[in-house]
Amino acid sequence: MVYTEFVSAEALVRSIKSTVNKLTISNEERPVGIQIYGRDVVSMVEAAKIVEEAHPDLIDLNFGCPVKKVAGKGAGAGMLRNVPLMLDITREVVRAVKTPVTVKTRLGWDQNNLIIGDLAEKLQDCGIQALTIHGRTRSQMYTGEADWTLIGAVKSNPRIRIPIIGNGDITSPEQAQTVFERYGVDAIMIGRGTFGRRGYSKRFGIGSTAAPLTPLWILIGK
């Protein structure tokens, strides 16, 4: 499964051509998810309805992007500082569309606020169909190593019923196998490791190598 580059909800609502063009999906790419980000309920709900018209297999809400121009404005990982709003957005998007809705987020804002355990349960209660967790905080950006132990703790929580997808630092089939066995995740998402690597999917025995995968992400199940 692949995901599109994340799309600005505000730009979609304003019908910015370059953003709308990112919704184009070919059948060869399926299954495919379209990921959106934003900072208010109204624009995220409206954007989700627009995305649904492109007929993706799922709609993913990005609450994990750490870059300043996104998180600094309260979107992406910035939502980790406003969990009630994150939950309101998630709940209302789920209600507004028939397409399955998933979420991608991080462990928390910083090491003093590792909220993913409680947050995962609350997001599940909003009606999402799966949760992807990147094993870093927003403050870490992409530095240091991803902490898969907290991802594993969410997966082992008996109250969690939805699939848990792990993300962070997976660059080889061997690493993928290790995290499956050690942490029990339902799938892994590979992001930055695919950028500019034409034969990446072939290493994992999936997909086609006919074209670069950037900016798509690969989702690998057990």
Side-chain angles (χ1 to χ4, degrees):
M1 181 172 188
V2 294
Y3 288 61
T4 64
E5 179 181 3
F6 72 168
V7 179
S8 165
E10 182 178 342
L12 274 181
V13 172
R14 291 167 54 202
S15 299
I16 302 300
K17 185 177 180 180
S18 60
T19 300
V20 174
N21 287 343
K22 294 179 182 179
L23 303 185
T24 302
I25 299 172
S26 68
N27 286 331
E28 289 75 16
E29 294 174 304
R30 295 186 183 277
V32 60
I34 294 178
Q35 188 182 80
I36 60 175
Y37 72 95
R39 56 182 178 177
D40 67 83
V41 174
V42 174
S43 66
M44 286 289 278
V45 167
E46 186 61 28
K49 292 178 179 178
I50 294 170
V51 166
E52 188 167 48
E53 294 177 0
H55 305 295
D57 296 285
L58 62 84
I59 299 172
D60 193 58
L61 309 183
N62 183 299
F63 299 135
C65 179
V67 300
K68 186 175 181 180
K69 67 178 182 180
V70 175
K73 295 179 180 179
M79 283 288 167
L80 290 164
R81 303 184 81 176
N82 192 347
V83 171
L85 178 56
M86 180 196 296
L87 298 177
D88 283 346
I89 289 173
T90 304
R91 190 178 300 111
E92 293 307 316
V93 169
V94 168
R95 289 174 178 170
V97 297
K98 295 181 180 179
T99 304
V101 176
T102 61
V103 163
K104 182 170 188 273
T105 191
R106 289 183 167 233
L107 304 178
W109 181 258
D110 55 31
Q111 289 299 119
N112 294 320
N113 294 278
L114 299 173
I115 63 172
I116 191 60
D118 182 59
L119 179 59
E121 293 188 38
K122 291 179 177 179
L123 287 168
Q124 175 179 258
D125 290 343
C126 290
I128 64 172
Q129 299 300 303
L131 174 64
T132 300
I133 304 170
H134 180 82
R136 290 182 175 87
T137 64
R138 188 274 170 177
S139 295
Q140 285 180 277
M141 300 292 284
Y142 295 106
T143 63
E145 296 183 357
D147 182 355
W148 280 78
T149 60
L150 291 178
I151 300 174
V154 172
K155 176 57 187 175
S156 64
N157 180 348
R159 292 184 294 276
I160 292 294
R161 303 178 301 278
I162 58 175
I164 298 299
I165 303 161
N167 172 239
D169 299 346
I170 302 300
T171 59
S172 72
E174 293 75 20
Q175 286 177 307
Q177 185 63 35
T178 295
V179 298
F180 277 134
E181 294 175 355
R182 185 173 299 170
Y183 304 109
V185 291
D186 298 285
I188 61 171
M189 179 181 283
I190 305 173
R192 292 176 302 132
T194 67
F195 289 4
R197 300 181 181 181
R198 292 180 63 88
Y200 200 84
S201 60
K202 189 174 182 180
R203 292 185 62 199
F204 286 84
I206 60 173
S208 169
T209 58
L213 291 171
T214 307
L216 302 180
W217 293 342
I218 306 171
L219 183 65
I220 304 175
K222 288 184 179 178

